[in-house]
């Protein structure tokens, strides 16, 4: 299975990656080869195997609703490339997705 | 008229509500969930900052609040559900995905019953599921190219419940009434504050206008409505806009539009991608949930009497009128105070008196003091004491109204009334002398009474009451007046 350049561009857009033409060609080959590798699974007969999203047979791992200490802010911000006034600082984002309702 | 009969077009609305759950800690970690007055990034840990290797663990209370809400809406609670990753890139989402529920939510189906323009309505609920909130972005101006956004992750991972409604609403007013009723239900079960201004209750709307009977038209999603009024205004605007396009033979583009409060319009928020590709997949870090019948039954036991049932009972048990019932049951806490004052064996008369006091005087004081709607300035025991004192004749109704603010400040009714010299006069001689003065001052009323005009008695009682500062017991005044008038 060989991906199209449009497929690569779509995935790059979702990942907010800007790629030049050479990179697109290279990733087209690499991604196609990864998908080809995984496609080997298609040869297995899985008709009798129930789908699973978990490999450990756990259910209902819940914790009590109790507040625990958060990280000290200095530690939290220590690895951020930029911070200001206790906030993480990023390039301006205006508009864009708002997935948890307006607010 | 937006949805009048004989109209060619019909509006179809479905609402999606996100409500913050009233837990102490976040959805998948132990950071404090209340962020209102917290310094930026002070309630953040490895999990809600999305650091690699951090393991989320689900908050039991959030799961239970979601199920409780589902049960209040008559939803089915499936025996099995799972969490899923919803992938998208945005700086307020540190993990690069939101943990939500895709195809197997906690609650399926149900309906919300509410009243709109005096008529009972029923709107279907598609599903209720749990997810997590994002962080908050603050945009800071700068030189062109130098603008930055500041990220506060205190809200990141705060438990949310999404309540997806069926496209069963037909007008902006109906949508607003649905929201009010849904919010009331969430507040009754204690799942959320439902506070829209604080962002604890958010609403997005899917709106389409179609020719009557035609299949659903293109769906426009309206966002950014931050109050009940904004929802109604935005939907009215959107209805007019879509009608105008259709009336001219145009077609509606499927898009997302944002409400701009200041200018009162919706504007297109078309994003670069035509359709989001969230690449949902099962969340590998969170084992699925099996919800047993026992667990559902245990949570069902916690359901309080819901607003609709309570309104019906208030009507049949106490015989109050609809407007009074509406006011008394708007907040569960207020309805509780009313019932505690009336007591289990309270008569209809006692209920009417308590309702009257709460709706007029107590809620008047509540408003004057700027208290939140669920918080009355006095509790049930205090109000009952006050009404008992009135019933026992120790305090006139007028005096009781005067001492109400003192009681709210913690004084006992009799002590407050005594201090303010408002206690009913027990000294018969004092009342008798007021009666004598009143008779002397009102010869025409006396003459009228003697001429057989019994109504003149009211004037004489009023004159006497005035002379005792309203503190005499009206019954005693009447008795002494009659005595004096027959004697002389």
């Amino acid at each position: 299975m060989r991906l199209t350049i449009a497929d690569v561009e779509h995935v790059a857009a979702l990942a907010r990656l800007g790629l030049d033409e050479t990179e697109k060609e290279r990733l087209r080959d690499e991604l196609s080869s990864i998908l080809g590798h995984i496609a080997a699974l298609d040869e297995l007969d899985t008709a009798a195997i129930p789908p699973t999203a978990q490999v450990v047979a756990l259910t209902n791992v819940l914790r009590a609703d109790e507040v625990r200490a958060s990280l000290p802010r200095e530690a939290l911000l220590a690895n951020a490339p930029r911070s200001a006034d206790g906030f993480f600082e990023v390039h301006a984002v205006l508009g864009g997705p708002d997935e948890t309702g307006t607010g | 008229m937006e949805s009048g009969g004989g109209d060619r077009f019909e509006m179809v609305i479905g609402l999606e509500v996100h409500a913050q759950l009233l837990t102490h800690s976040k959805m998948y970690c132990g950071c404090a969930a209340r962020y209102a007055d917290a310094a930026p990034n002070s309630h953040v840990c490895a999990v809600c900052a999305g650091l690699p290797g951090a393991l989320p663990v689900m908050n039991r209370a959030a799961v239970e609040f979601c199920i409780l809400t589902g049960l209040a809406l008559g939803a089915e609670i499936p025996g099995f559900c799972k969490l899923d990753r919803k992938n998208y890139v945005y700086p307020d989402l540190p993990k690069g995905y939101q943990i939500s529920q895709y195809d197997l939510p906690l609650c399926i189906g149900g309906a919300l019953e509410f009243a709109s323009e005096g008529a009972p309505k029923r709107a279907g609920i598609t599903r209720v599921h749990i997810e997590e909130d994002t962080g908050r972005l603050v945009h800071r101006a700068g030189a062109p190219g130098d603008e930055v956004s500041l990220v506060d992750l205190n809200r990141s991972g705060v438990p949310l419940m999404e309540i997806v409604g069926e496209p069963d609403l037909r007008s902006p007013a109906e949508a607003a009434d649905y929201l009010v009723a849904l919010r009331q239900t969430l507040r009754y079960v204690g799942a959320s504050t439902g506070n829209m201004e604080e962002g604890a209750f958010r609403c997005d709307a899917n709106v389409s206008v179609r020719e009557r009977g035609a299949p659903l038209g293109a769906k426009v999603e309206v966002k950014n409505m931050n109050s009940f009024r904004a929802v109604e205004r935005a939907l009215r605007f959107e209805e007019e806009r879509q009608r105008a396009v259709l009336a001219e033979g145009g077609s509606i583009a499927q898009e997302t539009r944002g409400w701009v409060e200041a200018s009162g319009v919706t504007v297109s928020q078309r994003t670069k991608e035509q359709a989001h590709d969230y690449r949902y997949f099962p969340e590998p870090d969170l084992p699925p949930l099996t919800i047993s019948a026992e667990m559902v039954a245990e949570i069902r036991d916690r359901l309080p009497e819901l607003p609709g049932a309570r309104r019906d009972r208030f009507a049949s048990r106490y015989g109050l009128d609809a407007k009074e019932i509406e006011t008394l049951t708007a907040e569960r806490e207020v309805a509780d105070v009313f019932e505690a004052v009336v007591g289990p064996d309270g008569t209809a008369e006692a209920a009417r008196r308590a309702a009257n006091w709460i709706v007029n005087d107590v809620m008047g004081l509540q408003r004057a003091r700027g208290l939140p709607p669920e918080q009355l300035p006095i509790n049930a025991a205090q109000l009952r004491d006050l009404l008992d004192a009135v019933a026992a004749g120790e305090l006139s109704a007028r005096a009781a109204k005067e001492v109400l603010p003192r009681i709210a400040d913690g004084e006992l009714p009799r002590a407050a009334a005594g201090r303010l010299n408002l206690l009913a006069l027990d000294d018969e001689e004092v009342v008798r002398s007021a009666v004598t003065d009143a008779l002397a001052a009102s010869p025409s009323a006396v003459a009228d009474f003697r001429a057989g005009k019994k109504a003149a008695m009211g004037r004489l009682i009023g004159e006497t009451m005035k002379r005792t500062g309203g503190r005499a017991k009206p019954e005693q005044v009447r008795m002494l007046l009659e005595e004096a008038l027959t004697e002389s």
Side-chain angles (χ1 to χ4, degrees):
Chain A
M1 165 173 175
R2 186 154 160 77
L3 293 178
T4 65
I5 286 293
D7 290 331
V8 175
E9 287 171 343
H10 179 61
V11 173
L14 290 172
R16 303 291 189 271
L17 292 175
L19 304 177
D20 63 28
E21 295 309 313
T22 324
E23 286 170 320
K24 285 180 196 169
E25 280 302 338
R26 181 166 60 78
L27 284 164
R28 178 189 191 184
D29 290 339
E30 289 183 4
L31 290 172
S32 299
S33 124
I34 291 167
L35 288 176
H37 184 68
I38 290 166
L41 291 173
D42 291 344
E43 291 165 23
L44 294 173
D45 178 8
T46 57
I49 300 170
T52 178
Q54 298 276 334
V55 289
V56 285
L58 291 170
T59 58
N60 299 14
V61 178
L62 296 161
R63 61 179 179 81
D65 180 23
E66 284 160 9
V67 173
R68 293 169 58 175
S70 300
L71 284 173
R73 190 159 67 183
E74 306 70 52
L76 178 73
L77 296 174
N79 294 317
R82 292 194 336 247
S83 64
D85 306 331
F87 292 90
F88 294 96
E89 190 183 289
V90 298
H91 291 300
V93 276
L94 297 166
D98 182 1
E99 304 305 320
T100 49
T102 45
Chain B
M1 243 203 77
E2 288 75 21
S3 51
D7 190 335
R8 222 178 110 197
F9 297 114
E10 172 183 59
M11 189 182 199
V12 179
I13 305 165
L15 298 180
E16 286 173 18
V17 166
H18 285 84
Q20 278 174 354
L21 296 173
L22 265 175
T23 57
H24 303 291
S25 63
K26 290 187 178 181
M27 185 71 228
Y28 305 114
C29 62
C31 289
R34 312 283 162 89
Y35 56 84
D37 302 312
N41 291 307
S42 56
H43 296 172
V44 187
C45 71
V47 171
C48 55
L51 299 187
L55 187 69
V57 183
M58 235 182 295
N59 184 337
R60 177 183 293 276
V63 172
E64 292 179 352
F65 275 142
C66 185
I67 294 175
L68 189 67
T69 303
L71 292 174
L73 296 168
E76 180 207 336
I77 313 299
F80 180 85
C81 87
K82 69 176 171 67
L83 285 294
D84 298 278
R85 286 191 185 179
K86 178 180 183 178
N87 299 276
Y88 66 93
V89 178
Y90 207 65
D92 64 7
L93 191 71
K95 296 192 294 295
Y97 56 85
Q98 179 193 31
I99 304 180
S100 177
Q101 296 194 282
Y102 182 50
D103 53 343
L104 298 173
L106 264 173
C107 315
I108 297 174
L112 180 71
E113 287 174 16
F114 61 106
S116 189
E117 284 157 4
K121 290 269 153 56
R122 181 186 166 90
I125 300 289
T126 314
R127 57 185 279 166
V128 185
H129 72 252
I130 39 170
E131 57 184 38
E132 57 178 329
D133 213 337
T134 64
R136 190 174 62 94
L137 291 180
V138 182
H139 301 292
R140 183 170 283 184
D146 263 351
E147 301 98 333
V148 297
S149 291
L150 302 175
V151 187
D152 173 12
L153 296 180
N154 284 345
R155 202 181 65 183
S156 168
V158 166
L160 285 182
M161 165 171 72
E162 180 170 349
I163 303 157
V164 183
E166 292 284 299
D168 287 349
L169 304 167
R170 291 293 175 270
S171 74
E174 214 170 280
D177 292 332
Y178 167 94
L179 279 184
V180 169
L182 180 59
R183 174 179 180 277
Q184 190 182 44
T185 300
L186 299 191
R187 289 175 64 84
Y188 260 65
V189 302
S192 175
T193 65
N195 191 318
M196 233 175 155
E197 282 70 22
E198 288 171 7
F201 187 87
R202 307 166 209 162
C203 172
D204 297 332
N206 289 310
V207 182
S208 68
V209 173
R210 65 175 170 189
E211 224 157 320
R212 259 172 214 287
L216 278 183
K219 195 169 73 175
V220 172
E221 186 171 14
V222 184
K223 288 176 167 278
N224 205 32
M225 303 169 289
N226 294 326
S227 66
F228 289 98
R229 194 167 155 268
V231 170
E232 204 169 337
R233 285 180 70 206
L235 293 180
R236 279 193 202 292
F237 174 87
E238 199 47 34
E239 177 178 33
E240 291 310 315
R241 187 187 70 82
Q242 294 191 22
R243 275 168 179 273
V245 172
L246 292 174
E248 285 171 16
S251 62
I252 304 295
Q254 177 152 350
E255 61 178 342
T256 299
R257 298 178 70 90
W259 170 246
V260 185
E261 180 76 32
S263 40
V265 297
T266 65
V267 295
S268 182
Q269 291 187 329
R270 227 181 297 250
T271 48
K272 275 181 198 157
E273 296 126 62
Q274 279 307 300
H276 283 301
D277 181 355
Y278 292 125
R279 292 148 292 149
Y280 278 102
F281 62 84
E283 171 57 60
D285 286 342
L286 291 170
L289 295 171
T290 57
I291 312 292
S292 66
E294 290 73 32
M295 181 174 175
V296 173
E298 194 266 311
I299 295 172
R300 195 187 294 277
D301 280 346
R302 293 183 222 165
L303 269 183
E305 185 180 31
L306 294 170
R310 199 158 204 186
R311 281 192 295 269
D312 291 347
R313 190 167 57 79
F314 274 26
S316 60
R317 162 84 172 78
Y318 303 117
L320 301 172
D321 72 61
K323 185 80 196 111
E324 240 170 356
I325 291 174
E326 193 69 39
T327 310
L328 287 173
T329 58
E331 300 290 339
R332 180 183 169 184
E333 292 81 354
V334 173
D336 287 347
V337 167
F338 166 74
E339 294 214 83
V341 171
V342 176
D345 308 313
T347 60
E349 169 57 25
R352 218 173 40 75
R353 198 169 50 225
N356 201 11
W357 268 87
I358 291 174
V359 169
N360 297 310
D361 304 286
V362 179
M363 294 181 100
L365 182 63
Q366 176 189 38
R367 274 189 299 277
R369 296 201 167 175
L371 294 170
E374 73 279 10
Q375 196 186 324
L376 293 180
I378 73 175
N379 63 34
Q382 289 171 318
L383 183 56
R384 202 169 41 221
D385 274 357
L386 183 66
L387 297 188
D388 283 351
V390 175
E394 295 167 45
L395 223 55
S396 70
R398 207 187 81 184
K401 285 179 208 294
E402 267 186 68
V403 298
L404 188 64
R406 304 281 74 77
I407 295 169
D409 294 337
E411 276 192 75
L412 294 171
R414 289 166 187 84
R419 198 170 58 72
L420 297 172
N421 201 24
L422 289 167
L423 273 184
L425 274 176
D426 261 339
D427 188 338
E428 194 175 304
E429 282 316 304
V430 177
V431 184
R432 214 180 271 284
S433 115
V435 164
T436 310
D437 290 352
L439 291 175
S442 324
S444 71
V446 172
D448 284 351
F449 183 80
R450 293 222 161 102
K453 292 187 187 165
K454 298 294 170 207
M457 177 55 92
R459 273 154 66 204
L460 291 170
I461 292 176
E463 283 296 320
T464 311
M465 290 301 286
K466 209 159 70 186
R467 281 168 172 74
T468 63
R471 295 163 57 215
K473 298 175 190 169
E475 274 319 300
Q476 189 184 29
V477 171
R478 174 188 295 275
M479 203 187 74
L480 292 175
L481 274 169
E482 279 169 355
E483 209 179 285
L485 287 165
T486 42
E487 268 170 17
S488 50

